[in-house]
């Protein structure tokens, strides 16, 4: 039996559903994206060459390429389902977008990258899937592929210091209250995955997805904000600062 290939219209519809689902999880998603784009422009200019780490369906890569018509992005992820949806739905944006299937936990993840150093690396809601050891190794290999003066911008849930128990409780109460005040649009993470894993046009990708992601990522021990800053400094990023923050949802910036 020949397999039906994912159609472009179906891929685009999955990309839209992904956006809604992610906006429900990260209500300030667009604000964060906007900060990243403004920072990129100021730090490395509109013609930058950037990496998008854990790109999913290419949400951040797409925004960079739309806003900066001379920029180029390599979008990296390890999920075959999201990569297929991104690649079919978004294409290569006139040759300026390259998709790369690589595991950021692997010491060889940079092997498939085009040659030369990059001006920037960005990431959105992805690196909390990695343990402190994996993040440290990732930062070390990233430092080798960013040019001196290049910038790294990570928008993610970056945990509070372990000692800040009260502040953490206050922030989670605040987050819950704000979510209640804003009626959620879009479906939940679980509902999205239950639906896409049944798509008959994605059967091969779904089989590989199940193989690569046998467990939920929630519960992965991951560095807190200070842990990220420490790991970045050890890897050779000499300046690291918080650039935007709303509770645990933050953007960490680092200069190579
Ligand atoms: C919540 S999604 C965010 C996707 C995208 N950045 C966005 O904001 O829409 C997290 C992404 O990180 C990717 N990811 C997690 N662990 C990874 C790894 N070890 N290597 C590559 N990608 C990974 C997942 O496959 C997923 O696409």
């Amino acid at each position: 039996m020949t397999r039906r290939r994912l159609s472009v219209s179906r891929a685009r519809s999955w990309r839209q559903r992904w956006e809604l689902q992610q906006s429900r999880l990260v209500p300030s998603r667009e604000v964060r994206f906007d900060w990243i784009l403004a920072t990129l422009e100021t730090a490395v200019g509109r013609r930058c060459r950037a990496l998008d780490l854990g790109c999913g369906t290419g949400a951040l890569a797409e925004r960079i390429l739309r806003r900066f018509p001379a920029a180029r992005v390599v979008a990296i992820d390890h999920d075959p389902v999201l990569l297929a949806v991104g690649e079919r739905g978004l294409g290569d944006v006139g040759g300026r977008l390259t998709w790369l299937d690589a595991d950021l936990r692997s010491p060889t993840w940079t092997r498939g990258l085009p040659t030369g150093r990059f001006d920037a690396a960005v990431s959105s809601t992805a690196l909390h899937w990695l343990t402190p050891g994996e993040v440290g190794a990732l930062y070390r290999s990233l430092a080798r592929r960013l040019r001196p003066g290049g910038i790294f911008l990570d928008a993610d849930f970056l945990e509070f210091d372990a000692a800040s128990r009260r502040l953490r409780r206050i922030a989670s109460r605040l987050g819950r209250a704000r979510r209640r005040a804003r009626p959620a649009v879009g479906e939940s993470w679980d509902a999205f995955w239950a639906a896409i894993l049944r798509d008959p046009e994605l059967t091969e990708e779904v089989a590989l997805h199940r193989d690569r992601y046998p467990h939920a990522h929630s519960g992965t021990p991951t560095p807190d904000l200070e842990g990220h800053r420490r790991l970045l400094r050890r890897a050779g990023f000499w300046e690291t600062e918080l650039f935007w923050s709303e509770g645990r949802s933050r953007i960490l910036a680092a200069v190579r």
Side-chain angles (χ1 to χ4, degrees), residues 171-245:
S172 8
R173 283 214 313 266
L174 199 55
R176 279 199 300 276
R178 285 170 69 90
R179 275 196 295 278
R180 272 198 305 275
R182 271 184 297 214
V185 283
E187 62 204 320
S188 68
W189 173 266
D190 288 344
F192 174 88
W193 280 105
I196 200 168
L197 294 180
R198 284 196 306 266
D199 189 324
E201 295 184 11
L202 281 166
T203 47
E204 274 177 26
E205 289 84 358
V206 166
L208 194 54
H209 164 95
R210 291 192 197 281
D211 210 38
R212 289 184 178 177
Y213 293 90
H215 311 293
H217 68 280
S218 56
T220 304
T222 190
D224 62 14
L225 172 66
E226 279 314 312
H228 276 277
R229 296 187 67 190
R230 222 176 8 255
L231 291 168
L232 281 163
R233 281 192 294 266
R234 266 190 221 148
F237 291 83
W238 307 118
E239 296 180 29
T240 74
E241 287 297 340
L242 195 56
F243 251 44
W244 178 90
S245 174

Side-chain angles (χ1 to χ4, degrees), residues 18 29 54-56 77-78 82 102-105 124-126 129 213:
W18 175 263
R29 182 168 163 84
C55 62
D77 206 282
H78 197 44
L82 298 180
D103 185 349
L104 294 170
R105 294 167 302 185
S124 153
T125 333
W129 292 41
Y213 293 90

Side-chain angles (χ1 to χ4, degrees), residues 4-256:
R4 271 191 288 161
R5 192 172 179 221
L6 180 65
S7 70
V8 170
S9 62
R10 207 167 171 111
R12 288 187 177 153
S13 140
W14 281 123
R15 287 192 83 237
Q16 274 167 8
R17 274 176 81 164
W18 175 263
E19 284 304 315
L20 288 174
Q21 174 263 117
Q22 282 292 294
S23 308
R24 180 179 160 142
L25 277 178
V26 187
S28 301
R29 182 168 163 84
E30 286 307 326
V31 180
R32 284 192 347 190
F33 282 152
D34 213 51
W35 266 91
I36 288 187
L37 297 190
T39 310
L40 272 183
E41 182 171 5
T42 310
V44 290
R46 300 171 66 88
R47 305 182 69 84
C48 59
R49 214 170 150 237
L51 301 169
D52 179 1
L53 308 176
C55 62
T57 63
L60 182 48
E62 178 183 22
R63 284 163 176 83
I64 294 171
L65 295 168
R66 288 243 161 91
R67 176 101 53 109
F68 309 133
R72 304 180 85 83
V73 177
V74 181
I76 303 146
D77 206 282
H78 197 44
D79 189 323
V81 171
L82 298 180
L83 280 171
V85 166
E87 214 165 344
R88 288 290 284 162
L90 187 56
D92 70 356
V93 193
R96 294 189 297 129
L97 174 58
T98 305
W99 296 90
L100 179 64
D101 180 355
D103 185 349
L104 294 170
R105 294 167 302 185
S106 156
T108 60
W109 75 271
T110 53
R111 273 196 195 154
L113 291 178
T115 53
R117 296 235 196 165
F118 290 81
D119 303 299
V122 296
S123 186
S124 153
T125 333
L127 301 186
H128 67 273
W129 292 41
L130 272 56
T131 64
E134 292 163 349
V135 173
L138 172 68
Y139 287 164
R140 288 194 295 278
S141 49
L142 187 59
R144 288 193 288 275
R145 296 309 304 268
L146 283 190
R147 67 164 169 82
I151 194 159
F152 169 59
L153 296 165
D154 181 29
D156 204 350
F157 295 110
L158 300 171
E159 286 299 339
F160 290 10
D161 189 285
S164 303
R165 280 189 295 275
R166 272 191 209 158
L167 288 176
R168 192 170 332 132
R169 274 203 303 275
I170 293 169
S172 8
R173 283 214 313 266
L174 199 55
R176 279 199 300 276
R178 285 170 69 90
R179 275 196 295 278
R180 272 198 305 275
R182 271 184 297 214
V185 283
E187 62 204 320
S188 68
W189 173 266
D190 288 344
F192 174 88
W193 280 105
I196 200 168
L197 294 180
R198 284 196 306 266
D199 189 324
E201 295 184 11
L202 281 166
T203 47
E204 274 177 26
E205 289 84 358
V206 166
L208 194 54
H209 164 95
R210 291 192 197 281
D211 210 38
R212 289 184 178 177
Y213 293 90
H215 311 293
H217 68 280
S218 56
T220 304
T222 190
D224 62 14
L225 172 66
E226 279 314 312
H228 276 277
R229 296 187 67 190
R230 222 176 8 255
L231 291 168
L232 281 163
R233 281 192 294 266
R234 266 190 221 148
F237 291 83
W238 307 118
E239 296 180 29
T240 74
E241 287 297 340
L242 195 56
F243 251 44
W244 178 90
S245 174
E246 187 183 83
R248 295 181 311 128
S249 177
R250 332 205 212 199
I251 299 174
L252 178 61
V255 173
R256 172 71 181 96

